[in-house]
């Protein structure tokens, strides 16, 4: 095992001169109370922001109530009231005031469209054959179903369908006037149907 060689006096002198000219990259400063910062054991946390007082809420609770639905089409009552009077005006006035008593009536309330249509045709044509002039067709006001779509649903399918059936063949030729019934005969849940004379 070889021993480390010792420096000669000339080498020591040369090393001392080189070391004297060297400068440290990070010179160490002397420790003192003035130069060294005081480190706290625990840093002070930032102050907490006050939490806002939030009450219980439901999504959409402030939205406007659209239960009323903008239905621009006239109601069936308004539509019938605008129809021109074809029958005798005096008789029409007495009929709409409930002064004329229907000679026959049919109750379609609770029937499906498929059941009600043939029953209505049979009833009206038979009534005309018997010479009746004023008959009462009861449809009921109907119930409002779930209205979840963008297009509003009309209340009472039969109530809206019967006036259309009365205008179309084969009943259109037999019917002279259709009006909403007076309250004593069912109001908006029934119709007066004034028939033409059977020739």
């Amino acid at each position: 095992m070889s021993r480390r060689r010792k420096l000669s006096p000339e080498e020591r002198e040369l090393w001392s001169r080189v070391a004297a000219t060297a400068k440290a990259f990070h010179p160490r400063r002397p420790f003192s109370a003035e130069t060294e910062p005081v480190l706290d054991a625990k840093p002070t946390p930032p102050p907490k922001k006050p939490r806002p007082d939030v009450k219980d809420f439901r999504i959409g609770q402030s939205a406007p109530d659209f239960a009323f639905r903008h239905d621009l089409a006239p109601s069936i009552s308004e539509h019938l009231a605008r129809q021109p009077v074809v029958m005798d005006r005096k008789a029409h006035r007495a009929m709409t005031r409930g002064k004329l008593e229907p000679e026959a009536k049919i109750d379609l309330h609770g029937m499906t469209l498929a059941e009600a249509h043939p029953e209505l045709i049979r009833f009206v044509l038979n009534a005309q054959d018997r010479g009746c002039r004023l008959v009462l067709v009861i449809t009921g006001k109907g119930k409002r179903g779930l209205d979840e779509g963008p297009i509003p649903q009309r209340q009472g399918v039969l109530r809206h369908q019967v006036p259309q059936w009365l205008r179309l063949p084969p009943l259109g030729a037999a019917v002279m006037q259709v009006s909403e019934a007076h309250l004593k005969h069912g109001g908006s849940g029934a119709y007066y149907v004034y028939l033409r004379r059977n020739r």
Side-chain angles (χ1 to χ4, degrees), residues 128-129 173 176 196-199:
Q128 188 188 37
D129 286 341
M176 181 180 286
R196 299 180 188 277
R197 292 189 187 277
N198 192 14
R199 295 176 183 176

Side-chain angles (χ1 to χ4, degrees), residues 21 52 98:
T21 60

Side-chain angles (χ1 to χ4, degrees), residues 31-63:
F31 290 101
S32 71
E34 296 177 357
T35 59
E36 290 300 315
V38 179
L39 298 177
D40 291 337
K42 291 182 180 180
T44 306
K48 291 184 178 181
K49 293 181 179 180
R51 293 185 65 180
D53 184 20
V54 180
K55 297 179 180 179
D56 292 339
F57 71 97
R58 178 176 54 82
I59 294 175
Q61 67 183 15
S62 299

Side-chain angles (χ1 to χ4, degrees), residues 11 24 28 95 135 151 166 175 190:
E11 292 173 333
R28 293 182 60 83
M95 178 183 73
V135 297
I151 301 174
L166 293 170
V175 174

Side-chain angles (χ1 to χ4, degrees), residues 131-174:
C132 298
R133 297 304 304 276
L134 179 62
V135 297
L136 183 69
V137 178
I138 300 169
T139 62
K141 296 180 181 178
K143 295 180 181 178
R144 181 175 289 281
L146 293 175
D147 193 0
E148 298 176 349
I151 301 174
Q153 297 177 2
R154 293 189 178 278
Q155 183 176 350
V157 179
L158 273 178
R159 181 169 167 261
H160 284 83
Q161 194 63 48
V162 164
Q164 296 182 38
W165 288 339
L166 293 170
R167 286 195 304 267
L168 298 173
L171 299 180

